[in-house]
């Protein structure tokens, strides 16, 4: 019989290839979730402190939202979108970033009538058909902050400062270098693009295939090509700082002055343009000090024209996003560990039907008091259950066998010391709390609901 079953299993596994995640995406297993939970906690805390409110836009939107927002000629729209037709024949796309969807929501829900500026944040997964490599995935998480409805260089700097604080809380701020640039407004941008075109005229042969196209469609992106030859040519190209209009120049000078005021070091990078088309004036990125642009942990900037492009009133805005997988990678590389909130305090082992029933209630009572408790209520020998308790690395085990049920007692074992005592069953909960100490209890409450 066993042999027959084995043969059947082999047949099934031959017929059904092993299933696995799609290319470029990954599971976030419990150990990594500890990091994600910690990052989310830090982000939520800093957001609350500064008056940001959380928003979640849909995972998919009409393709137009991103096409108009991010820009037709960007790599994201040209090469990296996950698009699909729904059954009604409408073209939809998985969101590759948060800003365009948030701006769509700002317009759709008339947020210009809310007190301005509107300060929003989100923590969401995003999707880009990128070439998978270390730190680059097809589904990735970002935390993202946006201030919409007001323009002032102090807001740009406050955003940067906020992320410096978050990275500081996560223990990795020192690993990054803040790169900033101003890419001007729609007025001085025209002069700059003309100057760029003049500069590149006659140099086409030295450019990579993508840059030859960029020269036609999106000349700004010539400046941040990663190819060696293109970089050499770009290093002698005109600089934005020389061609900014008076307003953009003053704005940029103020940004730098306020950064200094807050003690935030920065590197001026005249080639920083960002990969999305919506930016105006300030742009910034946090570069990994050891690897540079290739693995920016986050970036953002001002986007004063976007809401209008998307069909709203002219509305200034600024924002940034940080890739959470990259944050986790840097935290781990730096040897940073996060509080293990999932550690179990107590394991409840039992034998026999009556013991099992009593343990159902006991486990519930322990959890209600903030004691993190697991119990093996399936069938299993006492030995197997105690082995399981060891695997959970619990501090204490409660053991209820037939003898204890009869005597109205329970055994409380200290797993580290290997000692144990018999206590009245009715005192199990207070005895565990005393052994753990009140400060260890998981007393989180979401807050009272109001009627
Ligand atoms: P972004 O520079 O495209 O900006 O993305 C921000 C961060 O998301 C990157 O620095 C990186 O850490 C992470 N990221 C991007 N693509 C991937 C990927 N394929 N795999 C893993 N991580 C990735 C934006 O998304 C803008 N919406 C930021 C912004 C907000 N600007 C204004 N407001």
């Amino acid at each position: 019989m066993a042999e027959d079953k084995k043969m059947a299993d082999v047949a099934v596994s031959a017929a059904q290839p092993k299933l696995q995640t799609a290319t470029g995406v990954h599971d976030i297993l419990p150990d990594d979730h500890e990091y994600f939970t910690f990052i989310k906690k830090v982000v939520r805390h800093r957001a609350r402190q500064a008056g940001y409110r959380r928003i979640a836009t849909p995972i998919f939107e009409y393709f137009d939202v991103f096409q108009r927002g991010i820009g037709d000629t960007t790599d994201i729209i040209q090469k990296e979108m996950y698009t699909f037709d729904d059954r009604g024949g409408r073209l939809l796309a998985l969101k590759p970033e948060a800003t365009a969807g948030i701006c769509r929501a700002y317009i759709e829900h008339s947020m210009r009538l809310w007190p301005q500026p509107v300060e929003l944040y989100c923590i969401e997964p995003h999707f880009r058909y990128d070439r998978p490599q270390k730190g680059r995935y097809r589904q990735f998480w970002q935390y993202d902050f946006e201030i919409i409805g007001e323009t002032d260089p102090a807001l740009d700097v406050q955003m940067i400062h906020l992320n410096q604080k978050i990275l500081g809380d996560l223990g990795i701020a020192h690993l990054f270098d803040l790169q900033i640039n101003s890419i001007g407004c729609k007025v001085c941008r025209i002069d700059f693009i003309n100057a760029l075109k003049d500069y590149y005229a006659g140099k086409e042969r030295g450019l990579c295939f993508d840059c030859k196209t960029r020269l036609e469609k999106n000349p700004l992106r010539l400046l941040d090509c990663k190819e060696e030859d293109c970089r050499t040519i770009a290093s002698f190209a005109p600089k934005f700082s020389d061609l900014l209009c008076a307003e953009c120049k003053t704005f940029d000078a103020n940004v730098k002055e306020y950064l200094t005021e807050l003690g935030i070091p920065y590197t001026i990078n005249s080639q920083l343009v960002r990969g999305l088309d919506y930016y105006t004036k300030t742009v910034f990125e946090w570069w990994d000090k050891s690897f540079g642009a290739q693995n920016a942990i986050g970036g953002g900037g001002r986007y004063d024209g976007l809401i209008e492009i998307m069909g709203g009133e002219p509305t200034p805005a600024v924002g940034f996003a940080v890739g959470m997988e990259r944050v986790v990678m840097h935290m781990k590389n730096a040897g940073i560990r996060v509080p293990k909130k999932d550690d179990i305090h107590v394991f409840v082992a039992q034998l026999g039907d009556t013991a099992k029933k009593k343990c159902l209630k006991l486990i519930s009572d322990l959890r209600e008091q903030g004691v993190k408790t697991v119990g093996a209520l399936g069938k299993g020998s006492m030995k197997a259950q105690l082995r399981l308790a060891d695997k959970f690395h619990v501090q204490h085990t409660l053991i209820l066998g037939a003898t204890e049920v009869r005597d109205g007692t329970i055994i409380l074992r200290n797993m580290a010391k290997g000692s144990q005592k018999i206590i009245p069953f009715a005192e199990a909960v207070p005895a565990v709390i005393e052994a753990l100490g009140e400060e260890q209890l998981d007393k989180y409450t979401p807050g009272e609901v109001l009627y």
Side-chain angles (χ1 to χ4, degrees), residues 347-360 375-386 397-406 409-411 425:
F347 186 92
V348 177
Q350 46 70 45
L351 216 54
D353 281 348
T354 319
K356 180 173 175 173
K357 270 186 225 154
K358 291 184 85 170
C359 284
L360 268 176
L377 294 182
K379 290 193 185 71
S381 68
M382 187 55 80
K383 209 165 153 196
Q385 292 183 51
L386 293 180
T397 301
L398 284 165
I399 303 164
L400 190 66
T403 316
E404 289 77 30
V405 169
R406 195 191 55 227
T409 59
I410 191 163
I411 299 169
F425 183 82

Side-chain angles (χ1 to χ4, degrees), residues 12-23:
V12 167
S13 61
Q16 310 222 6
K18 206 167 103 194
L19 294 173
Q20 54 187 36
T21 50
T23 307

Side-chain angles (χ1 to χ4, degrees), residues 76 80 96-100 128 130 135-142 144-146 274-276 278-279 285-286 295-303 318-326:
I76 295 183
E80 297 172 5
E97 57 107 51
T99 315
R128 294 185 193 174
D130 241 338
R136 193 170 287 281
Y137 309 104
R138 292 184 174 172
Q139 175 178 339
F140 58 95
W141 283 75
Q142 283 183 339
D144 175 286
F145 284 78
E146 314 286 352
R274 307 269 303 130
L276 306 104
Y278 48 63
Y279 292 108
E285 277 179 3
W286 284 271
N295 259 327
I297 199 169
R302 178 156 286 285
Y303 53 97
V318 61
F320 72 89
V322 170
M324 291 167 64
E325 282 79 2
R326 293 188 190 179

Side-chain angles (χ1 to χ4, degrees), residues 15 115 181 228 250 252 258 270 308 361 444:
N181 191 20
E228 194 60 40
T250 310
D252 187 42
Y258 299 157
S270 57
E308 195 180 356
K361 173 84 167 56
Y444 173 80

Side-chain angles (χ1 to χ4, degrees), residues 44-59:
R44 284 204 303 262
H45 165 69
R46 288 292 178 184
R48 268 198 308 271
Q49 244 182 7
Y52 288 83
R53 298 184 68 204
R54 189 158 174 181
I55 185 170
T57 59
I59 294 291

